Amino acid sequence: MTDLLNDNFPYAENILAGRTALVCGASKGIGRASAMMLARAGARVIACARSAEVLDELIGELHGSGHETLVLDLEDVEAVRETVLGLGVVEIVIN
């Protein structure tokens, strides 16, 4: 994975500049990898998971700036509804 994210990034770097991506499950696995790839492509990433500590570590590793963490349990439907309404424009959602 790190080979894809270094200076020889094989995809169009910054092709997603100015876009916002909400990545659920960003603390590990496919969600974490998706957040890293989207950030490398220039998107502002809102990384969502239940663990603030792990999300803070992820944000520190993401390429670029302006990324945010969102600590949220997706099983709490009312909390999800309220939170999503306050996010503003999100062009990309990974769930």
Side-chain angles (χ1 to χ4, degrees), residues 34-45:
S34 296
M36 294 182 81
M37 295 291 286
L38 289 163
R40 189 64 186 195
R44 180 178 75 92
V45 173

Side-chain angles (χ1 to χ4, degrees), residues 22-28 31-32 35 45-62 67-73:
L22 171 62
V23 181
C24 302
S27 61
K28 59 185 175 181
R32 182 181 181 83
V45 173
I46 302 171
C48 177
R50 290 177 283 182
S51 171
E53 183 178 325
V54 175
L55 288 176
D56 289 339
E57 289 175 20
L58 171 65
I59 293 297
E61 294 176 24
L62 293 180
H67 309 297
E68 300 177 31
T69 62
L70 177 59
V71 178
L72 186 65
D73 183 350

Side-chain angles (χ1 to χ4, degrees), residues 70-88:
L70 177 59
V71 178
L72 186 65
D73 183 350
L74 296 181
E75 292 184 15
D76 184 345
V77 176
E78 189 58 35
V80 170
R81 181 178 294 119
E82 290 176 21
T83 302
V84 167
L85 290 174
L87 289 179

